[in-house]
Each structure stands twice: as structure tokens, then as C-alpha cells.
Amino acid sequence: MSFSYDAKNELCRLDVQKHCCARAEAYGILLYCNTFNSGEVRIVTENPNFAARLPRLFYRAFHIRFDRRPEPEAPGKLVFQITDREKLDGMIDALGFAPEQNLVLHINFGLLEEECCRASFLRGVFFAGGSVTDPLKRYHLELATSHLQVSRELEALLRDNGFPPKGLSRNGSYITYFKQSDQIEDFLTLVGAPVAAMNVMSAKMEKDLRNSVNRRINCDNANLDKAVDAALEQTEAIRRLMEAGLMEQLPDKLQETAEARLENPELSLSELADSLVPPVTKSCLNHRLRKLTGLARELKGESPE
Ligand SMILES: [Zn+2]
């Protein structure tokens, strides 16, 4: 199952308790569901746990039952509908809209003054219009509605609550979204999905760890490659000096160094420096090896460096 699905299932396990919060959650669902106007409410879901929650929630919020609801255990798309005039008027009235006016959807902030209600409202928004991507793939949580005004007001609400979101429109939908893992964590925690939030956090830690290990390995590989290249160049230079019969003319220290390198091409610079008798410093050894490669270059008519 998808990460979104799991997060919503986690939210479905929350009890429908306080009346104010039930109303706020139902309100979020209505503003972000398939259809909400003065003639119809239509909520379509494929999540059986959400389908089980909806009737309880709407009963607690508005004291009404859906006119159409799916058979229990029905597969596929589950449709909930209210078309009864009286029920619709009652709901619209409870949400602070004037039923006689043409219903232009907006967020009635008066219903969201309590913190508990704001969290419940955002949970409803996420249930009906939200999705969150598997954090191991990327960080993305979005809330999509077809109502421009609602999306603007939602952004303001989120900003006021310390979640500055981003917004875009796509095929007639207005999308409010988050791209930062900590914002996604905070949002999920706020709406009541702390397990999903923890999963975002651990995915981030896993990715960060993997990145830092990869960086280390790449860095080690690069250093290793450089060391191998240098050792190859040194042994090649020493052979050339020997073939040219120049080795015997060199100072003893350089001869010893050349011999040690030829015998131990796999040793790192510091290992090779330690292997000499008496041992020398790494920089001293480096100096001698550069001298040798420089002489070999001169032999080829190149400049020593
Ligand atoms: Zn409340």
C-alpha cells in the first residue's frame, strides 16, 4: 500500500470525539471533496477505513445521514452523497454560509479558532484532497482543491500556523504543497499521524546517512586512485632511470628509496616511509620520489615537473 494510504489509515484510527472538531474535520472534507454545492455533496473514496469513518463523522458534526452510501464491503470506488434539501441547508448553515446565496466556498475562520479544530480541519482537508509521497523517493505532501479561493485561504491558514506552503495550479486544480521533510513531519504530526511523521524522519536519516557514506566512499576512491596513479608513475620512472644506467650515479638515499618503491609498489607513501631503515618522514620520502620522477622526465626531454 502507498505511503498516503497508510497515513490516512493511521488518521482513521483517531476517535471522532468533540463536536467542534468533528464539524471542523467534516468541513475540511467538504471543501476538498469531489462536489460540495447547494444542491449536492458527493464524496468518493476507495479507502474502506475512511468510508467507515465518514458516516460517523457527519452524524457527529451535523446530525445527518448520507442519502446514498455504499454497501458495506463494496469494492472499488465508494460514493457518499447528500441531495436532500433540508440536510444541505442545515449543513451549509452550520458552516456559516447563507444558503440563499449562491454558494461561493471559502474558509470560515470563525469555525477554526480553537487549535483542536484547526488540526481537525487540516485532517479533513488531507483526507479528501491530500496525498503524501513515499519519503524514500522524495519529500512531497500536497492538498488539492478545485476552488481557488479555498486554496488561497488554506495557504494563509497554514502560514499563520507556522507552515509556509508553496502553491501552484495544475489542470484546474489548485495545489498547496510542501517539499521540506520537516514541514511534512510537522503537518502529519499536527493532523494526528505521528507514525507517518516518524517514517518521514527515519527515511530522511537513512538517506542522509547513505549520502554521507557515499560521499566518503567516493572521496576514498578518488584518493586511492590518486595514490595508485602516483605509485605507478614512480615505478615507471625508476625503471627508466635503471634502463638508462643512471641509478648507480644517484646518491645512496635516492637509490634506497627507488629500490624500496620497486619492491613495494602497493604501499602508501607513509607506509613506504616507515619501511625504510631508518624510517623517514612522509614529506622527506615524497621529496625523494619527486626527485626520481623529475629525473626520469628530464631523461625523456620533459621538464621535471
Ligand atoms: Zn475542536
Side-chain angles (χ1 to χ4, degrees), residues 18-24 111 114-120:
K18 286 158 83 179
H19 172 252
C20 63
C21 293
R23 190 178 55 186
L111 294 177
E114 298 297 327
E115 210 170 299
C116 59
C117 298
R118 279 198 296 275
S120 301

Side-chain angles (χ1 to χ4, degrees), residues 119-165:
S120 301
F121 175 77
L122 291 172
R123 176 162 62 245
V125 168
F126 181 70
F127 267 136
S131 65
V132 56
T133 306
D134 181 347
L136 284 173
K137 291 183 189 129
R138 66 197 174 107
Y139 306 121
H140 184 86
L141 184 148
E142 69 172 44
L143 307 161
T145 176
S146 53
H147 312 294
L148 174 62
Q149 191 54 29
V150 170
S151 79
R152 283 187 180 149
E153 290 171 0
L154 182 79
E155 281 176 28
L157 178 72
L158 288 166
R159 233 188 336 270
D160 288 350
N161 284 278
F163 300 94

